Amino acid sequence: MKTALLFPGQGVQKVGMGKDLYEEFPKIKEIYDKADDLLGFSIKDISFNGPHQELTDSKNAQPAILLHSYAIYNEVKGKLDFSVVAGHSLGEYTAYLAAGTLDFDDALHLVRFRGELMSSVRNGIMNAIIGLDSEDVKKVVEEIPGIIVAANFNSPEQTVISGEVEAVGKASNKLKKRGGRVIPLSVSGAFHSPLVEEVSRPFKKVLLKIKIKKPSVPVYSNVTAKKVTDPDEIRKTLGEQVLKPIQWVIILRNMKEEGVQRFIEIGQGKVLSKFVKSTLGKVETLNISSPKQIRRFLGE
C-alpha cells in the first residue's frame, strides 16, 4: 500500500508534549538533549513545562514542534515504509528531515530563526473560516480593499485568511453572514501574506548557506503542491513558503491521484488526519504521537 508521511505545523503545540516520550525512549531522550545543546537553551524545559505563552511564541513553538515530530519519526523509522512526505507549513521542514534533505542541526537552527523572524511580525491577523467552500472565501477576499489573502487551504471547508486587521475583519463579517464560522488564530502577525515580505528576506539569505541534499523520497511543496526533488527548487520554495498560501488541499488530492492510500501523521495531535478525511473521504489514516501509539506501531 502506497503510504505518505505527514508532519504538523505551528498551532499543535501543547505544554507537556514530548515529556512522556523523553522518559520512556532512550533515543528520543538523546535527541532532546542534543537539541538543548545545539540551541544553547532548554527547548525541552519549555516543551515539557511551559508556560503556555512561552511555548506558543513562534520562536519556541517552531523548534519544539519540529523536535517532537522528528524524535518520534526517528524512533519508528525502521518500521516505516513510505513513498512520499509532506508537512503543513512549519511541518515541511520535518518532512525534509525525514527525506534526508536537511541535517538535524541545520533544520533545528533554521526553524528557530524562522520562528524568531515570525515572532517579530507585529502587523496583521489570521482567521480560520470554517463551513464555507474555499472558492466562496476567495471571492469575498478579492472584494475587500487592502492587503488580505486566502492563506491556508486546509480542507474543502476550512480556509485561513490573512492580512491587515481592518481587511480581515471586514471579510470575516461578510463570511459570517454567509454562514461561515470565524476562529481567530493565536499568531503574532499575518503569516503567508505580503505583510511578512520584510522578514522573508533575511531568511532567504540564511537558506543560501544551508546544505540541501536531494531527498530520498519526493516531498510535496506547500507552495506548488507538487513533488520536489531538486535541491535548488527546494531552497527556492522554502524561501517563498512563509509568504505564499499553503496549498494543503491540492497536496492531498495530488497524493491520492498518484495512488497514496495510507496517511501517517507523526507528531502532536490529529489536525492533519482530520484534513485528510474531510478532503479525501475514506482513506486510511494513522497517528503516531504517544508512547502507546509508538509501541503499538513497533509491535511491542
Side-chain angles (χ1 to χ4, degrees):
M1 183 184 292
K2 199 168 184 180
T3 298
L5 301 188
L6 305 179
F7 296 96
Q10 194 168 344
V12 301
Q13 66 274 357
K14 181 183 176 184
V15 173
M17 70 177 192
K19 189 176 182 183
D20 49 359
L21 303 172
Y22 182 87
E23 291 168 350
E24 186 158 337
F25 299 98
K27 277 195 290 186
I28 288 179
K29 181 179 187 297
E30 192 178 315
I31 290 170
Y32 267 91
D33 290 343
K34 182 182 179 183
D36 281 2
D37 290 340
L38 288 169
L39 291 172
F41 69 93
S42 185
I43 189 67
K44 72 170 179 276
D45 184 51
I46 296 170
S47 296
F48 298 171
N49 304 310
H52 173 77
Q53 192 171 349
E54 193 173 353
L55 177 60
T56 301
D57 191 328
S58 294
K59 67 184 180 184
N60 297 320
Q62 296 198 15
I65 293 162
L66 176 129
L67 177 57
H68 183 258
S69 293
Y70 176 69
I72 295 167
Y73 166 77
N74 201 63
E75 188 68 35
V76 300
K77 65 181 181 182
K79 287 206 75 173
L80 282 171
D81 182 15
F82 57 98
S83 306
V84 291
V85 293
H88 189 280
S89 193
L90 162 74
E92 189 168 353
Y93 291 84
T94 327
Y96 281 119
L97 264 180
T101 300
L102 296 171
D103 290 330
F104 177 63
D105 302 28
D106 287 339
L108 193 66
H109 283 117
L110 257 182
V111 299
R112 170 66 177 183
F113 184 53
R114 183 180 185 267
E116 286 172 341
L117 290 171
M118 291 171 81
S119 287
S120 72
V121 176
R122 294 291 174 211
N123 55 338
I125 57 173
M126 301 178 78
N127 285 349
I129 312 299
I130 297 170
L132 292 178
D133 183 85
S134 60
E135 287 303 314
D136 293 335
V137 175
K138 278 168 70 177
K139 282 174 189 171
V140 168
V141 163
E142 285 161 8
E143 293 166 1
I144 303 294
I147 297 173
I148 178 172
V149 295
N152 293 14
F153 297 94
N154 291 333
S155 76
E157 291 197 336
Q158 185 184 128
T159 306
V160 174
I161 60 175
S162 179
E164 293 170 328
V165 174
E166 188 179 353
V168 172
K170 284 180 180 176
S172 297
N173 287 334
K174 274 195 166 189
L175 292 162
K176 267 185 194 173
K177 288 174 184 174
R178 296 189 180 200
R181 190 154 59 97
V182 177
I183 300 177
L185 300 189
S186 179
V187 292
S188 61
F191 306 147
H192 302 294
S193 86
L195 289 177
V196 293
E197 188 163 1
E198 193 177 315
V199 302
S200 77
R201 290 192 210 106
F203 188 67
K204 286 176 181 177
K205 285 182 182 176
V206 168
L207 271 172
L208 290 172
K209 300 174 185 175
I210 299 295
K211 185 178 180 182
I212 294 178
K213 292 169 279 190
K214 189 178 173 68
S216 56
V217 296
V219 181
Y220 278 82
S221 163
N222 279 213
V223 172
T224 65
K226 296 175 181 176
K227 291 187 289 190
V228 284
T229 55
D230 177 66
D232 289 335
E233 189 181 358
I234 290 168
R235 196 185 311 276
K236 180 174 180 287
T237 53
L238 282 180
E240 293 175 342
Q241 193 225 58
V242 73
L243 279 168
K244 297 288 180 74
I246 301 300
Q247 302 289 352
W248 195 250
V249 170
I250 303 175
I251 286 172
L252 295 178
R253 286 174 176 162
N254 285 346
M255 283 182 167
K256 191 176 182 185
E257 278 179 24
E258 294 194 22
V260 175
Q261 296 171 292
R262 188 183 192 220
F263 296 82
I264 302 178
E265 180 177 5
I266 297 179
Q268 180 67 33
K270 295 183 177 181
V271 172
L272 300 185
S273 296
K274 289 174 184 173
F275 292 162
V276 169
K277 286 174 181 174
S278 60
T279 303
L280 303 179
K282 291 183 179 179
V283 292
E284 185 181 341
T285 60
L286 176 69
N287 299 85
I288 307 178
S289 180
S290 67
K292 186 178 179 181
Q293 288 166 335
I294 290 173
R295 289 194 303 271
R296 187 186 300 139
F297 185 78
L298 293 175
E300 293 177 359

